């Protein structure tokens, strides 16, 4: 019995049980459920549970925001559901067909930019520090440090 077993059981119960879950994936901070009927899920109970940040509904998914320990919770939820293999090519193909052209295009674009997003963010932070240092007169706009 893992550290997040009780949380996983509570999540499965409050999204409508095993019968209501079509598929489950996760990203960096969220469990992403595809549910048969989202109205069965108990949003209020899930929002007030320890270990859950919030619940969102977007893109045909019922998203339970967990935080940094999402992979451990995901593994526990899979054990509760009795899923041994986390990837299923048939379900991903079906999801792609139902997704639509616009959503597939957005997925491709976000997939392209996600790996470089950290580097772009770091560069902007460095530029911000550079501007700050010039404005507090630690060095001038003509210095070599500013030009790099």
């Amino acid at each position: 019995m893992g550290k997040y077993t009780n949380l996983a059981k509570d999540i499965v119960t409050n999204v409508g049980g095993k019968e209501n879950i079509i598929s489950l994936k996760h990203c960096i901070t969220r469990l992403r459920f595809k549910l048969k009927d989202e109205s069965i899920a108990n949003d209020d109970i899930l929002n007030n549970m320890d270990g859950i940040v919030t619940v969102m509904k977007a893109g045909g998914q019922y998203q339970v925001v967990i935080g940094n320990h999402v992979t451990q919770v995901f593994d526990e939820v899979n054990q509760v559901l009795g899923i041994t293999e986390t990837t299923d090519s048939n379900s991903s193909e079906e999801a792609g067909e139902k997704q639509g052209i616009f959503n597939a295009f957005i997925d491709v674009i976000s997939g392209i930019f996600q790996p470089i997003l950290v580097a772009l963010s770091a560069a902007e932070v460095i530029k911000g520090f550079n501007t700050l240092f010039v404005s507090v007169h630690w060095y001038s706009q003509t210095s070599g440090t500013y030009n790099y």
Side-chain angles (χ1 to χ4, degrees), residues 55-77:
V55 173
M56 299 173 59
K57 298 174 188 175
Q61 294 179 337
Y62 190 84
Q63 302 174 4
V64 180
V65 182
I66 301 292
N68 294 334
H69 54 277
V70 69
T71 54
Q72 293 92 350
V73 177
F74 176 76
D75 293 339
E76 292 291 333
V77 170

Side-chain angles (χ1 to χ4, degrees), residues 6-23:
N6 290 333
L7 177 62
K9 288 178 182 176
D10 291 341
I11 290 172
V12 169
T13 301
N14 287 299
V15 295
K18 295 178 185 180
E19 316 75 47
N20 196 34
I21 299 172
I22 297 171
S23 68

Side-chain angles (χ1 to χ4, degrees), residues 11-103:
I11 290 172
V12 169
T13 301
N14 287 299
V15 295
K18 295 178 185 180
E19 316 75 47
N20 196 34
I21 299 172
I22 297 171
S23 68
L24 171 63
K25 296 179 183 179
H26 74 87
C27 63
I28 296 172
T29 59
R30 301 172 186 200
L31 293 174
R32 297 174 177 264
F33 290 93
K34 288 216 183 238
L35 302 177
K36 292 178 184 174
D37 186 5
E38 288 184 5
S39 65
I40 296 174
N42 297 318
D43 298 345
D44 295 332
I45 294 172
L46 287 168
N47 275 323
N48 293 322
M49 288 175 66
D50 289 335
I52 296 177
V53 178
T54 190
V55 173
M56 299 173 59
K57 298 174 188 175
Q61 294 179 337
Y62 190 84
Q63 302 174 4
V64 180
V65 182
I66 301 292
N68 294 334
H69 54 277
V70 69
T71 54
Q72 293 92 350
V73 177
F74 176 76
D75 293 339
E76 292 291 333
V77 170
N78 280 333
Q79 287 182 358
V80 169
L81 293 174
I83 299 173
T84 55
E85 190 175 325
T86 58
T87 58
D88 184 6
S89 60
N90 292 335
S91 65
S92 64
E93 288 173 6
E94 291 171 9
E97 291 174 6
K98 294 178 185 177
Q99 189 175 25
I101 294 172
F102 180 73
N103 288 335

Side-chain angles (χ1 to χ4, degrees), residues 119-148:
L120 290 173
S121 299
E124 290 303 316
V125 168
I126 291 170
K127 283 181 69 176
F129 279 126
N130 201 18
T131 303
L132 174 69
F133 296 156
V134 167
S135 63
V136 296
H137 304 292
W138 286 0
Y139 53 80
S140 68
Q141 291 180 342
T142 58
S143 72
T145 306
Y146 181 79
N147 291 326
Y148 288 108

